[in-house]
Amino acid sequence: MGRKYRIKGNKYPRMRRPRRRGRLVVLTVASVVVLGVGGWGTLQLIDVFTGGGRKASAAGDGTDCGTTTKASPSPSAKPLPEPRTITVNVLNATTRAGLAKKTADELKKRGFKIGDVGNAPQQYDKKVKGTGLLLGPAAALDTSLPVLGTQLPGAERRTEAARKGAAVDLVIGDGFKELAKKPDADRALTKLATPEPAPTTKKGC
């Protein structure tokens, strides 16, 4: 105790600051963690904006796919003839006189061509209980008969396989009162010429 220490030799102890290895290790680990969390968050955002990618579809197994309904054009059909190209024979199967002439005159005003006007043949005379019967050749089933049908809604439509020519018959029945009102018939004719597109259902992810 109380001695004085003497430094011998030409080497002197150097006073160094303690190394901060522990702090550097902590900073390095913290940086890695921050970068990892940031990268994971970025991937999550990408999944949100892209709909989850393949994982979402695999996890959902197709049950989360939405069903959309889209209108598609109707299949192509034969163009409907205009009234002026359709010849109509107006035949009266009732006991009311003058009904065929009156009905034929009205159809003529609406643009139809008029053929024969008179009483119905025996096979239909007093045997048509509804408003009327529309007759024509097989080719008229989806052409002339629907157009004529706009003038007398509810009339029965029939075709005759052996019938020749393009003319059609309007046989007036016991339930007939008058033709459809012209505005109503015009609207029905317009709707018939431009049918609404048929909806199609498509499933997509």
Side-chain angles (χ1 to χ4, degrees):
M1 300 296 293
R3 290 183 183 181
K4 293 182 179 179
Y5 292 93
R6 297 178 65 184
I7 301 173
K8 297 179 180 182
N10 56 0
K11 294 183 179 181
Y12 299 90
R14 296 181 181 180
M15 303 301 291
R16 295 181 180 179
R17 295 181 180 179
R19 296 181 179 180
R20 299 179 179 178
R21 292 182 179 179
R23 186 175 298 179
L24 290 174
V25 171
V26 172
L27 289 176
T28 302
V29 173
S31 299
V32 172
V33 172
V34 170
L35 290 174
V37 172
W40 181 81
T42 302
L43 290 176
Q44 292 299 314
L45 288 175
I46 293 173
D47 286 345
V48 169
F49 287 105
T50 58
R54 296 179 181 176
K55 292 182 179 180
S57 60
D61 198 18
T63 56
D64 295 333
C65 297
T67 301
T68 57
T69 301
K70 184 179 179 181
S72 62
S74 299
S76 58
K78 295 180 181 179
L80 294 173
E82 296 181 7
R84 61 184 179 83
T85 65
I86 301 174
T87 300
V88 183
N89 301 317
V90 184
L91 308 173
N92 186 5
T94 73
T95 57
R96 290 174 283 172
L99 203 55
K101 176 68 166 59
K102 181 180 178 181
T103 303
D105 290 343
E106 183 60 30
L107 285 174
K108 187 175 181 179
K109 290 178 183 178
R110 299 183 184 189
F112 289 88
K113 294 175 65 175
I114 303 301
D116 297 333
V117 178
N119 294 326
Q122 186 176 1
Q123 65 182 113
Y124 299 116
D125 190 28
K126 302 179 183 65
K127 296 176 184 178
V128 180
K129 302 301 179 183
T131 57
L133 176 63
L134 308 182
L135 295 170
L141 181 61
D142 54 359
T143 54
S144 301
L145 291 184
V147 174
L148 182 58
T150 61
Q151 311 302 310
L152 188 59
E156 183 184 354
R157 302 174 191 176
R158 293 184 193 173
T159 59
E160 298 172 326
R163 182 164 179 159
K164 297 181 180 180
V168 294
D169 299 341
L170 190 160
V171 182
I172 301 172
D174 292 335
F176 178 87
K177 293 182 180 179
E178 61 180 2
L179 295 175
K181 300 295 182 183
K182 190 175 186 305
D184 296 336
D186 289 344
R187 280 193 294 269
L189 191 58
T190 300
K191 186 176 181 180
L192 184 66
T194 55
E196 296 179 358
T200 56
T201 302
K202 183 179 181 181
K203 214 172 186 182
C205 295

